[in-house]
């Protein structure tokens, strides 16, 4: 593809899309964006492509890029939907506040922001939990933890866990991977991963520091067993159920790996 123009690459991507070869379409679009990184048509096309591929993480990244180039509420709404699906409620609030800033007269934005603020009031008593999860995310974690103790080989387990949790927060993935590495006799990988995470935290990251310390205690303890990890998830997680109303209904127990 060396020497092809942006126009030609874009046309090739359209043809690939017609043929439903979305990976090929993505390759052409990425080549075109390398040559024209601020081309809005290319970025929008890539975002549509990533939706087809189900790559939420990359969708977020390119929506953020698109917003920096062309700020508008429609982009923020798409971002908000993705963050809601991932359970990143702090980010949802940030997006809505930004939306309210650029569109202060929007009743829809005001209503959505009010729902988020009301929800925060409902979950205020559980702010000390390390993980506040939707039922959907809790189920993904439970499935990932069941995979850890399955009879699959190391590579299959690793791939399955990343497929399940690749779009979740760094903290969720950190905790599950620490359990995985320890169970598969790679304690040094678990320790190294947690220490690297801890080094990049600031003094203000109190909850994240608490998480790192608890994980370190678990992985350096050679007597750590599955039961200990169940206790970790029960003690540090709470699940809530999203409804159409602004209320959040808290569930008292976390789905453990039996």
């Amino acid at each position: 593809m060396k020497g092809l123009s942006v126009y030609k690459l874009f046309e090739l991507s359209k043809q690939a899309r017609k043929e439903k070869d979305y990976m090929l379409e993505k390759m052409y679009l990425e080549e075109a964006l390398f040559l024209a990184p601020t081309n809005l048509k290319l970025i929008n096309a890539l975002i549509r492509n990533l939706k087809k591929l189900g790559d939420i993480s990359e969708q977020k990244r390119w929506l953020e890029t698109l917003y920096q180039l062309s700020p508008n509420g429609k982009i923020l709404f798409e971002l908000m939907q993705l963050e809601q699906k991932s359970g990143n409620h702090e980010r949802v609030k940030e997006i809505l506040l930004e939306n309210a800033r650029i569109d202060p007269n929007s009743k829809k934005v005001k209503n959505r922001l009010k729902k988020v603020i009301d929800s925060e009031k409902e979950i205020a008593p559980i702010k000390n939990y390390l993980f506040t999860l939707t039922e959907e995310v809790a189920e993904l974690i439970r499935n990932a933890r069941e995979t850890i103790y399955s009879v699959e080989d190391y590579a299959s387990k690793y791939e399955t866990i990343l497929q399940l949790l690749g779009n979740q927060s760094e903290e969720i993935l950190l905790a599950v991977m620490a359990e995985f590495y320890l169970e598969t006799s790679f304690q040094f990988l678990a320790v190294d991963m947690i220490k690297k995470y801890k080094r990049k935290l600031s003094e203000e990251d109190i909850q994240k520091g608490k998480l790192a310390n608890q994980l370190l205690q678990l992985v350096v303890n050679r007597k750590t067993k599955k039961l200990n990890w169940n206790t970790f998830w029960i003690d540090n997680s709470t699940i809530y159920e999203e409804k159409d109303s602004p209320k959040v209904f808290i569930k008292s127990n976390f789905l453990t790996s039996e």
Side-chain angles (χ1 to χ4, degrees):
M1 289 185 292
K2 186 176 181 181
L4 292 180
S5 67
V6 171
Y7 173 79
K8 182 60 176 177
L9 289 165
F10 193 28
E11 289 302 308
L12 287 170
S13 75
K14 291 178 182 178
Q15 183 60 39
R17 184 176 73 248
K18 288 180 181 178
E19 296 172 358
K20 296 185 178 181
D21 190 341
Y22 300 119
M23 288 302 298
L24 183 60
E25 179 195 8
K26 181 172 181 281
M27 182 179 68
Y28 285 134
L29 289 172
E30 288 176 338
E31 287 288 332
L33 279 165
F34 179 77
L35 299 173
T38 60
N39 187 302
L40 299 183
K41 283 187 177 180
L42 291 174
I43 295 173
N44 275 301
L46 181 58
I47 290 170
R48 288 192 296 270
N49 169 268
L50 293 168
K51 287 180 183 178
K52 290 285 187 181
L53 294 173
D55 192 333
I56 294 176
S57 179
E58 281 296 289
Q59 281 183 63
K60 290 179 188 178
R61 185 170 77 86
W62 281 104
L63 282 167
E64 295 277 7
T65 299
L66 186 61
Y67 181 74
Q68 294 301 317
L69 295 169
S70 179
N72 68 70
K74 182 180 178 182
I75 298 170
L76 289 174
F77 180 69
E78 287 190 58
L79 262 175
M80 184 193 72
Q81 287 185 312
L82 291 175
E83 296 294 0
Q84 279 183 326
K85 188 174 181 180
S86 299
N88 299 329
H89 303 288
E90 284 298 320
R91 182 62 183 137
V92 169
K93 182 181 177 182
E94 290 173 4
I95 291 169
L96 285 171
L97 287 170
E98 173 64 11
N99 206 342
R101 184 187 68 79
I102 67 171
D103 193 4
N105 297 319
S106 172
K107 290 183 178 180
K108 285 185 179 180
V109 173
K110 288 179 180 178
N111 288 335
R112 290 189 187 113
L113 186 56
K114 182 178 182 301
K115 284 185 178 182
V116 170
I117 292 172
D118 288 344
S119 295
E120 284 185 338
K121 291 177 182 178
E122 292 288 334
I123 64 174
I126 60 163
K127 284 292 185 180
N128 288 330
Y129 283 101
L130 295 175
F131 304 107
T132 302
L133 310 166
T134 64
E135 290 185 310
E136 180 183 359
V137 174
E139 180 70 7
L140 290 175
I141 294 172
R142 187 182 67 80
N143 290 339
R145 295 192 61 231
E146 286 180 350
T147 298
I148 292 173
Y149 299 97
S150 70
V151 295
E152 295 180 38
D153 58 54
Y154 177 92
S156 296
K157 290 181 181 182
Y158 184 89
E159 184 177 347
T160 300
I161 291 169
L162 290 187
Q163 286 177 347
L164 288 168
L165 301 177
N167 292 322
Q168 301 309 315
S169 70
E170 182 181 9
E171 286 68 38
I172 288 174
L173 192 56
L174 177 78
V176 174
M177 290 304 295
E179 183 175 1
F180 167 66
Y181 284 139
L182 195 65
E183 173 61 20
T184 51
S185 302
F186 287 99
Q187 181 191 41
F188 71 97
L189 289 178
V191 173
D192 184 60
M193 177 183 64
I194 298 165
K195 286 184 175 179
K196 283 181 179 178
Y197 170 83
K198 189 176 180 179
R199 281 196 294 270
K200 70 179 183 181
L201 299 180
S202 66
E203 292 182 0
E204 288 75 30
D205 293 324
I206 298 173
Q207 284 290 89
K208 292 180 179 180
K210 178 183 175 183
L211 169 64
N213 289 334
Q214 286 199 31
L215 290 175
L216 277 175
Q217 289 175 7
L218 277 169
V219 299
V220 299
N221 179 6
R222 295 187 180 278
K223 294 182 179 180
T224 297
K225 297 183 184 296
K226 184 176 177 180
L227 179 62
N228 299 86
W229 285 100
N230 279 344
T231 301
F232 165 80
W233 286 106
I234 291 170
D235 290 348
N236 292 297
S237 307
T238 191
I239 306 169
Y240 67 91
E241 187 176 330
E242 291 180 310
K243 296 289 184 183
D244 292 334
S245 69
K247 288 188 177 181
V248 177
F249 299 91
I250 307 302
K251 293 195 171 185
S252 61
N253 65 315
F254 181 75
L255 294 173
T256 60
S257 173
E258 298 300 335

